[in-house]
């Protein structure tokens, strides 16, 4: 999926199933055109970010307005709260946020840092639960936030949990987000092998300079990695070695506790 200027249109059409409905795909693309950096868009903006014609973008926007998912204010369009129903239906069926939250709260209290849980969605991770102790990133993180899997500790835990022949399909373009980001595929695969063997991942200033995070996997009853939990901190607060010594035991205990509750709940 191209990320040039925030575009959400895919330039390389994947193979579609016989039941594929193009109009639904395009309607969802219009919803995805809106994000934290682009909360209000004109018709032309939507057409450009989705690759749709203006006429098609207009039809989809007005349909979404009629359905209550988009609001229109003059030339500008914006998502309405009802769009959250689409995500909450998934989160409710998952059960993970409710199970993870008390453990994340205890983890955040124990280490004095923010704690989160996420799942893999394509080449991104999606936050499904978060307990914030302080803001340490330049963007606000919350439920529904998406970040590139390859450059995040939770993403690497989730990628390492996949069969090796499936990993490449979830990587996308390895863009350099900071001067420290791993962008070489062979180097990244070597790092994922390390994560797979040791059972946790630490990412030091690869997503955003000044940010360090540590993650561990959550598994289902078959042992498959289904989610990841992490702790994030400002790199200036101490060394990576100190973080591993002081935080990793608490993180692994929280991940194991969430795994146990998730298995018992299914």
């Amino acid at each position: 999926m191209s990320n040039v200027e925030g575009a959400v249109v895919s330039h390389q059409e994947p193979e579609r199933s016989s039941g594929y409905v193009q109009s639904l795909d395009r309607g969802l693309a219009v919803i995805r055109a809106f994000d934290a950096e682009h909360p209000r868009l004109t018709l032309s903006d939507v057409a450009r970010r989705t690759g749709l014609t203006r006429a098609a973008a207009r039809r989809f926007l007005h349909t979404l307005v009629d359905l209550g998912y988009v609001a229109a204010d003059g030339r500008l369009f914006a998502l309405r709260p009802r769009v959250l129903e689409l995500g909450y239906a998934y989160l409710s069926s998952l059960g993970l946020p409710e199970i993870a939250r008390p453990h994340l709260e205890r983890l955040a209290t124990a280490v004095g840092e923010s704690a989160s849980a996420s799942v893999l969605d394509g080449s991104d991770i999606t936050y499904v639960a978060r307990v914030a102790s302080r803001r340490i990133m330049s963007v606000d993180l919350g439920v529904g936030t998406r970040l590139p899997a390859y450059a995040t500790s939770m993403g690497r835990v989730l990628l390492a949990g996949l069969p090796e022949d499936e990993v490449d399909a979830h990587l996308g373009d390895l863009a350099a987000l900071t001067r420290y980001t791993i962008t070489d595929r062979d180097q990244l695969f070597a790092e994922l092998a390390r994560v797979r063997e040791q059972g946790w991942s630490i990412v030091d200033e690869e997503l955003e300079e000044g940010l360090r995070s540590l993650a561990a996997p959550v598994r289902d009853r078959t042992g498959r990695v289904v989610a990841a939990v992490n702790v994030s901190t400002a790199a200036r607060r101490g060394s990576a070695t100190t973080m591993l010594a002081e935080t990793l035991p608490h993180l692994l205990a929280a991940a194991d506790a969430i795994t146990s509750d998730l298995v018992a709940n299914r």
Side-chain angles (χ1 to χ4, degrees):
M1 180 174 289
S2 171
N3 194 35
V4 177
E5 296 185 355
V8 297
V9 62
S10 173
H11 296 296
Q12 183 175 0
E13 287 296 327
E15 184 177 344
R16 304 298 189 184
S17 70
S18 60
Y20 170 73
V21 180
Q22 188 180 60
S23 58
L24 177 59
D25 186 349
R26 291 178 173 178
L28 293 173
V30 169
I31 292 176
R32 293 195 302 270
F34 298 88
D35 57 28
E37 295 180 357
H38 307 88
R40 293 160 67 84
L41 298 171
T42 65
L43 171 61
S44 296
D45 293 333
V46 172
R48 183 179 66 255
R49 287 173 59 78
T50 59
L52 296 171
T53 65
R54 282 174 53 88
R58 180 183 296 107
R59 290 196 302 272
F60 285 111
L61 280 169
H62 285 292
T63 299
L64 290 167
V65 169
D66 289 344
L67 294 174
Y69 291 111
V70 170
D73 181 12
R75 296 178 58 251
L76 293 174
F77 296 86
L79 296 182
R80 295 187 62 186
R82 188 175 183 182
V83 78
L84 293 173
E85 295 175 357
L86 302 175
Y88 285 145
Y90 168 70
L91 294 177
S92 297
S93 65
L94 184 64
L96 177 63
E98 294 80 9
I99 291 171
R101 186 165 185 84
H103 297 291
L104 295 178
E105 289 173 347
R106 285 191 286 272
L107 175 60
T109 298
V111 301
E113 302 288 357
S114 300
S116 309
S118 71
V119 295
L120 186 64
D121 183 9
S123 59
D124 294 333
I125 61 168
T126 299
Y127 279 67
V128 296
R130 178 168 170 81
V131 175
S133 65
R134 56 177 69 88
R135 180 173 174 176
I136 57 175
M137 286 191 67
S138 61
V139 296
D140 286 324
L141 296 176
V143 172
T145 297
R146 298 170 66 92
L147 295 174
Y150 71 90
T152 61
S153 61
M154 288 193 286
R156 289 185 184 170
V157 162
L158 291 162
L159 291 170
L162 294 172
E164 292 187 47
D165 60 352
E166 294 182 14
V167 173
D168 198 62
H170 290 269
L171 292 184
D173 295 328
L174 304 185
L177 304 178
T178 75
R179 53 185 165 158
Y180 304 108
T181 309
I182 294 176
T183 58
D184 179 81
R185 264 177 158 69
D186 290 339
Q187 186 180 352
L188 181 59
F189 271 93
E191 177 62 23
L192 293 179
R194 187 179 301 112
V195 171
R196 193 176 295 115
E197 180 179 356
Q198 67 194 13
W200 49 268
S201 172
I202 186 167
V203 169
D204 203 354
E205 301 191 80
E206 293 188 50
L207 176 69
E208 181 171 306
E209 294 200 24
L211 177 71
R212 179 182 298 131
S213 63
L214 184 63
V218 172
R219 303 177 185 274
D220 64 13
R221 64 174 65 253
T222 69
R224 182 173 62 95
V225 176
V226 294
V229 294
N230 90 331
V231 170
S232 299
T233 187
R236 66 177 181 275
R237 295 200 183 103
S239 67
T241 301
T242 299
M243 186 181 192
L244 288 174
E246 297 181 352
T247 303
L248 184 58
H250 294 286
L251 175 67
L252 293 176
D256 288 345
I258 295 170
T259 292
S260 296
D261 285 356
L262 191 63
V263 169
N265 192 55
R266 295 299 171 90

